Amino acid sequence: AQSVTQPDIHITVSEGASLELRCNYSYGATPYLFWYVQSPGQGLQLLLKYFSGDTLVQGIKGFEAEFKRSQSSFNLRKPSVHWSDAAEYFCAVGAPGGYNKLIFGAGTRLAVHP
Amino acid sequence: EAGVTQFPSHSVIEKGQTVTLRCDPISGHDNLYWYRRVMGKEIKFLLHFVKESKQDESGMPNNRFLAERTGGTYSTLKVQPAELEDSGVYFCASSPLAGGSEQYFGPGTRLTVT
């Protein structure tokens, strides 16, 4: 069955600390991979995506993610977290081609301490 | 360029009543998707329109849910009659017909059935 697992429901980090949010997926082939962020009262905003090629992907707001085929993972990282990064983060996968439905993980809620 | 808009932002109805949610996609986007997030769980796919045609409605929970997209522009999602378990946040997303694109999400409609 196709699924996405985000093992951490809540994470708290101090401002300026590094961040890594984990994402593992189960899919028949290498899917398209996405990270979305939802800030309070906002819709889902795309942080970054991986379709093919370089397995280290750069996104907006200083985020990056690394695709590891052998581990079926697509972890999100940021070297120095800002208070404005407090939000909920969703990992998602979709069928290659990009037309089809996305399968989401349950989300990781990030809190940032000053 | 206007983003995906959804109306209303919140709706509180009683069990057994009818509610209609509306989504206006980004102009020119032929793909339109509905998703739902129930109480802290993962965001789940409901259905996918290409223009006015239903491409995939495998995620629709039951026949109390009816989605339409007349003229291939805005879409409505009607729940009739609403049940308690229908409470959640309903997201709409759109993307252009060309493959490989991200889905652009609206802010969601929070539905509460009491």
Side-chain angles (χ1 to χ4, degrees):
Chain A
Q2 299 167 348
S3 64
V4 176
T5 301
Q6 293 180 248
D8 304 305
I9 298 173
H10 289 96
I11 285 184
T12 301
V13 300
S14 298
E15 191 168 18
S18 64
L19 173 70
E20 181 168 28
L21 302 183
R22 296 179 290 164
C23 172
N24 292 90
Y25 64 89
S26 174
Y27 207 85
T30 299
Y32 283 8
L33 297 154
F34 306 85
W35 274 98
Y36 283 87
V37 61
Q38 185 180 25
S39 299
Q42 304 296 314
L44 295 165
Q45 181 183 23
L46 182 71
L47 284 175
L48 46 78
K49 60 191 176 188
Y50 173 78
F51 291 170
S52 65
D54 192 344
T55 57
L56 185 62
V57 181
Q58 301 299 318
I60 63 171
K61 304 185 180 185
F63 286 92
E64 67 177 27
E66 185 172 13
F67 168 57
K68 293 185 177 180
R69 185 191 306 274
S70 62
Q71 298 177 19
S72 296
S73 69
F74 189 55
N75 293 349
L76 182 71
R77 300 194 293 248
K78 186 169 185 178
S80 178
V81 171
H82 188 262
W83 65 265
S84 61
D85 293 325
E88 193 160 19
Y89 293 80
F90 296 92
C91 180
V93 301
Y99 292 105
N100 301 311
K101 64 186 178 185
L102 296 179
I103 299 168
F104 284 86
T108 297
R109 188 170 295 278
L110 174 66
V112 180
H113 281 176
Chain B
E1 178 184 89
V4 177
T5 58
Q6 294 186 244
F7 182 83
S9 56
H10 293 87
S11 180
V12 181
I13 61 171
E14 294 183 352
K15 176 182 172 181
Q17 290 186 322
T18 298
V19 63
T20 300
L21 313 180
R22 173 171 171 144
C23 168
D24 286 80
I26 292 172
S27 178
H29 282 193
D30 289 325
N31 288 307
L32 187 148
Y33 307 82
W34 283 98
Y35 294 85
R36 177 174 74 172
R37 187 182 193 199
V38 172
M39 202 55 174
K41 296 195 174 181
E42 67 271 20
I43 300 167
K44 285 196 170 179
F45 167 81
L46 296 178
L47 89 159
H48 170 206
F49 284 99
V50 177
K51 298 184 181 179
E52 67 275 8
S53 299
K54 292 176 184 175
Q55 180 76 12
D56 179 357
E57 51 185 329
S58 61
M60 294 288 265
N62 51 61
N63 60 10
R64 295 184 294 103
F65 289 76
L66 175 64
E68 294 180 323
R69 191 181 183 194
T70 306
T73 55
Y74 71 91
S75 174
T76 58
L77 180 64
K78 181 189 288 188
V79 185
Q80 178 182 28
E83 297 289 345
L84 298 178
E85 64 265 24
D86 301 332
S87 295
V89 180
Y90 290 76
F91 292 101
C92 176
S94 71
S95 68
L97 200 54
S101 177
E102 67 182 90
Q103 293 180 23
Y104 296 82
F105 280 78
T109 293
R110 180 174 296 278
L111 174 65
T112 303
V113 183
T114 62

